Amino acid sequence: MKRFIGCLSVLLVGCSATSADVTADTEKAAVVEPVMKAKTVTLGAGVSTMAETVLVGFLQAEEYTDPSKAMSLTHTATNSQSHSVSIRFNSGMTADLWLYDPKGQKVWSSSQDMMYTQALRDVTLAPAKTITSRFSVPASVMEKVSGPGYRFEVKFAGKVEGSNMPLINAGSTPLIVK
């Protein structure tokens, strides 16, 4: 009988040690930080609503893959006329970039945290010359882009002088999330 109790106590000690080891491993697993799911965001084909305009706008960006950095975009507005064009800006802002969600609600704009001078500015743009605007969409904003339906829209701030044609092609550029 003593032998039986001795064997039973060895078994119980072994079981309790195994149980403690399992508990310790479970506690370590709970401390592990979750890994961010990597995503790639690219620009889709822009959709324009106007056939003929004074300036032709084009939005471009490199593939966005690093969720710790901002997404950089460049908008160019090119004079498509055979003559120089006079453009008036009512402030220091040349263009504003807006991000919309799939429901059409504005998520972010590049001007929301900016202050611009309130001085009139006149620019004469020669044929085939461009005005370039650069934008940086913060990583915290890009984190919200989670699937199809998000889009960028550029709001050009200038007004054309001496022409009845629309100044620039208005449209939006969808985001492709992979």
Side-chain angles (χ1 to χ4, degrees):
M1 182 75 156
K2 286 183 181 179
R3 215 177 195 169
F4 176 72
I5 293 176
C7 288
L8 185 59
S9 65
V10 169
L11 280 173
L12 290 175
V13 170
C15 287
S16 66
T18 305
S19 176
D21 290 343
V22 170
T23 305
D25 288 343
T26 305
E27 289 172 349
K28 287 178 188 173
V31 178
V32 175
E33 295 292 322
V35 177
M36 258 201 216
K37 183 181 175 191
K39 67 180 173 185
T40 302
V41 179
T42 56
L43 298 181
V47 179
S48 178
T49 58
M50 298 175 196
E52 190 173 343
T53 58
V54 175
L55 304 178
V56 175
F58 182 70
L59 184 64
Q60 61 189 43
E62 291 192 19
E63 189 174 75
Y64 178 78
T65 57
D66 187 349
S68 67
K69 294 184 179 175
M71 181 176 191
S72 298
L73 296 101
T74 303
H75 179 261
T76 55
T78 305
N79 180 359
S80 61
Q81 305 302 303
S82 59
H83 54 83
S84 293
V85 175
S86 295
I87 304 168
R88 170 159 283 179
F89 295 93
N90 292 329
S91 71
M93 180 170 58
T94 302
D96 195 8
L97 180 69
W98 288 24
L99 173 64
Y100 292 96
D101 68 12
K103 296 177 184 174
Q105 301 295 313
K106 183 175 88 167
V107 174
W108 174 86
S109 70
S110 62
S111 65
Q112 70 188 31
D113 297 322
M114 302 282 291
M115 302 245 340
Y116 295 97
T117 60
Q118 293 299 311
L120 290 177
R121 180 170 51 112
D122 292 319
V123 174
T124 301
L125 198 59
K129 295 298 179 185
T130 63
I131 297 174
T132 302
S133 302
R134 292 182 182 14
F135 303 103
S136 182
V137 183
S140 60
V141 173
M142 289 305 297
E143 186 177 291
K144 297 173 186 176
V145 176
S146 58
Y150 285 86
R151 63 187 171 88
F152 283 125
E153 192 171 301
V154 176
K155 311 273 186 187
F156 195 75
K159 306 290 182 212
V160 68
E161 296 179 11
S163 176
N164 294 330
M165 287 175 48
L167 176 61
I168 194 164
N169 51 315
S172 63
T173 305
L175 299 178
I176 300 170
V177 181
K178 297 178 190 172

